[in-house]
Amino acid sequence: MSKVALITGGSRGIGKAVAIKFAKEGYDIVINYRSESDNLKELKNELSKYNVKVMCISGDVTAFDRWGEIAKEVIEKFGSIDVLVNNAGITKDTLLLRMSEKDFSDVIDINLKGTFNVTKQVIPYMTKQRRGRIVNISSIIGIIGNAGQANYAASKAGIIAFTKSCAKEFASRNILINAVAPGFIKTDMTAVLSDAIRENINNQIPLKREGTVEEVANLVYFLGAEENTYITGQVINVDGGMVC
Ligand code: NAP
């Protein structure tokens, strides 16, 4: 039976590249999206090349109960969830003095609580299967912090602590759980930055360029695939050497 990978926020950016990578490797794909878009249609077309089953399922990662329904539906239709990639995330950057309570709680609710919500609803099925891989998308900002990103940094640091704790809890069930910490990756999330900021960041990267979504997806696949049998509880940076 083919393996199934579920990717949150999978219709664009890093999530989309992860979905394509797992499809290329023969996994059936469940793409979670928040809103219907042309991106989703394009991705469905792209995935149809790979001769795998594809399910697109709407749901906001902040809606805890909805994720109970989603997990059940995937199991009913595809039979298992072998890989979960908690990718959905947002930024609401501003200096702390200007940051509203909502700016802080929105980012924590989606990035950190969303990772909890989806994991909590999916992991009972992995426990029953006695196998699973979870890859949580953190960020190097969760390791080093950044002015203007106190909310985002806290959410991504929380994801790292959550990852390590869950890895310890579920190792005995053959569920391996790791975090990936991307650096500066070319997506819609970073497209809002000015050329001056972009150049400044690129100068701080030993490899002197932004990363691509495919470079992140390759690492996510490495950790999420069944060939990974001995790496759990780790945070691996994909950042061109920015943090080392
Ligand atoms: P992106 O292009 O902005 O895509 C974000 C994805 O998350 C979209 O598919 C979006 O869905 C989804 N999403 C946002 N809020 C959601 C919610 N409440 N429920 C369900 N889905 C939701 O961002 P990206 O750059 O690919 O980032 C993906 C992940 O990598 C994020 O966790 C981000 O923090 C992390 N990351 C990115 C970078 C970078 O440089 N790009 C660096 C470090 C870490 P909609 O299309 O419906 O909005």
Side-chain angles (χ1 to χ4, degrees):
M1 203 171 75
S2 43
K3 300 266 182 278
V4 179
L6 162 59
I7 300 115
T8 69
S11 63
R12 60 193 169 97
I14 291 171
K16 175 180 175 181
V18 169
I20 292 170
K21 176 67 183 169
F22 275 93
K24 275 186 186 164
E25 301 293 339
Y27 282 66
D28 291 335
I29 303 295
V30 183
I31 297 160
N32 153 249
Y33 65 95
R34 198 168 43 163
S35 35
E36 285 279 355
S37 64
D38 289 344
N39 292 325
L40 192 63
K41 283 181 210 139
E42 277 167 32
L43 178 56
K44 274 195 227 167
N45 280 342
E46 166 95 33
L47 292 176
S48 64
K49 291 186 209 155
Y50 299 111
N51 198 26
V52 295
K53 286 192 269 176
V54 177
M55 184 195 294
C56 298
I57 200 148
S58 72
D60 193 304
V61 292
T62 59
F64 179 75
D65 291 341
R66 171 78 185 125
W67 279 90
E69 297 167 3
I70 291 175
K72 192 162 170 272
E73 193 178 331
V74 175
I75 295 292
E76 281 166 5
K77 294 205 173 129
F78 281 8
S80 66
I81 302 174
D82 302 282
V83 185
L84 165 64
V85 182
N86 281 306
N87 165 75
I90 61 161
T91 50
K92 283 201 170 182
D93 298 351
T94 189
L95 295 171
L96 188 67
L97 285 175
R98 287 195 208 119
M99 190 177 287
S100 66
E101 187 187 1
K102 187 169 172 0
D103 291 335
F104 191 83
S105 55
D106 283 354
V107 171
I108 297 290
D109 279 356
I110 292 177
N111 297 5
L112 178 57
K113 174 71 170 23
T115 299
F116 163 81
N117 289 342
V118 181
T119 304
K120 170 86 181 155
Q121 297 284 21
V122 165
I123 215 159
Y125 296 101
M126 290 185 169
T127 303
K128 240 180 256 168
Q129 294 163 186
R130 290 202 159 263
R131 66 164 196 280
R133 303 284 181 271
I134 300 179
V135 184
N136 296 322
I137 308 298
S138 177
S139 166
I140 57 160
I141 301 305
I143 301 170
I144 59 173
N146 195 21
Q149 292 197 301
N151 49 0
Y152 185 76
S155 74
K156 294 297 184 180
I159 287 174
I160 292 172
F162 180 74
T163 301
K164 288 172 184 263
S165 303
C166 293
K168 288 180 176 165
E169 275 185 44
F170 290 95
S172 63
R173 309 300 173 98
N174 189 28
I175 302 170
L176 280 61
I177 308 174
N178 292 287
V180 163
F184 187 44
I185 310 299
K186 196 168 187 211
T187 68
D188 293 348
M189 189 175 268
T190 50
V192 292
L193 301 174
S194 68
D195 287 347
I197 294 180
R198 189 176 298 282
E199 198 185 325
N200 182 30
I201 298 175
N202 283 342
N203 282 333
Q204 295 167 41
I205 302 172
L207 287 177
K208 297 282 174 233
R209 64 170 177 86
E210 294 155 274
T212 66
V213 290
E214 290 78 16
E215 286 166 327
V216 180
N218 287 340
L219 175 59
V220 174
Y221 177 75
F222 178 80
L223 294 169
E226 61 182 338
E227 287 82 357
N228 171 22
T229 49
Y230 207 55
I231 303 172
T232 194
Q234 304 304 308
V235 188
I236 304 190
N237 299 357
V238 49
D239 67 351
M242 207 172 170
V243 175
C244 58

